[in-house]
Amino acid sequence: IFNPESLVYGVYTVGAQTSSSVQFENVGTASVAVASVQINGPNASDFSVTGNSCTSLAENATCNVSIAVMSTAAGPRVANLQVNDNAPGNPHNVPLLGTGESVTQTVSQSVTNITYSLINVGATSGGSFVLYNLGTGSAILESPVLAGPDPGDFSITGDNCPIDHAL
């Protein structure tokens, strides 16, 4: 018996690895010798066995197989974990299912520069802009930095962008 009967990874980011495991239980009255575990099917290259404690199973014993998915393409990804053993019904298959999603990170701002009119020494003037996330994934913002020939003449006030958080 396999628990779960299929591994459903859901939606995951293309290029990122996601792992899960399946437990194999011997519910028979004799020991089971596991000859091999392998991945096969249309997208077998997207999946890999990352851990395998299944070699032989005594009556009522369990073992685990860990499988990772990391695809280079978006869309549905399908394969099977095949367990080759000496139990009735050999080989045993566990469907592996997931959907790769491409993520883009594109940030745009409402203006490319802020122009100030003449300002008296010691006086203040304000300007602002808006950041937009135009991508399909989160954009991580770090602390804003003033740059240019006179950064000391400027200060950042009213910053409501979450720093080191997803935008």
Side-chain angles (χ1 to χ4, degrees):
I1 295 177
F2 290 102
N3 185 21
E5 293 179 359
S6 63
L7 285 181
V8 180
Y9 292 88
V11 177
Y12 58 89
T13 302
V14 169
Q17 181 171 304
T18 301
S19 297
S20 194
S21 63
V22 62
Q23 185 180 67
F24 183 31
E25 181 180 8
N26 179 5
V27 295
T29 57
S31 65
V32 173
V34 177
S36 65
V37 296
Q38 60 192 43
I39 306 288
N40 59 36
N43 306 118
S45 62
D46 289 358
F47 298 86
S48 61
V49 174
T50 57
N52 176 15
S53 66
C54 298
T55 53
S56 65
L57 287 167
E59 181 180 341
N60 296 316
T62 61
C63 65
N64 293 298
V65 178
S66 298
I67 300 104
V69 60
M70 186 170 81
S71 65
T72 57
R77 314 311 286 167
V78 178
N80 285 300
L81 168 66
Q82 181 176 314
V83 178
N84 300 300
D85 56 41
N86 64 346
N90 179 57
H92 300 95
N93 291 296
V94 176
L96 307 174
L97 312 163
T99 302
E101 177 180 65
S102 294
V103 175
T104 60
Q105 296 171 329
T106 305
V107 177
S108 177
Q109 68 273 2
S110 59
V111 296
T112 56
N113 61 45
I114 299 171
T115 304
Y116 296 94
S117 59
L118 291 175
I119 302 170
N120 291 329
V121 174
T124 61
S125 181
S128 65
F129 65 95
V130 177
L131 289 177
Y132 300 99
N133 181 359
L134 304 175
T136 59
S138 296
I140 305 299
L141 301 178
E142 296 181 8
S143 297
V145 176
L146 295 171
D150 299 305
D153 290 347
F154 300 89
S155 63
I156 298 172
T157 60
D159 174 17
N160 66 354
C161 288
I163 304 304
D164 295 329
H165 291 87
L167 174 65

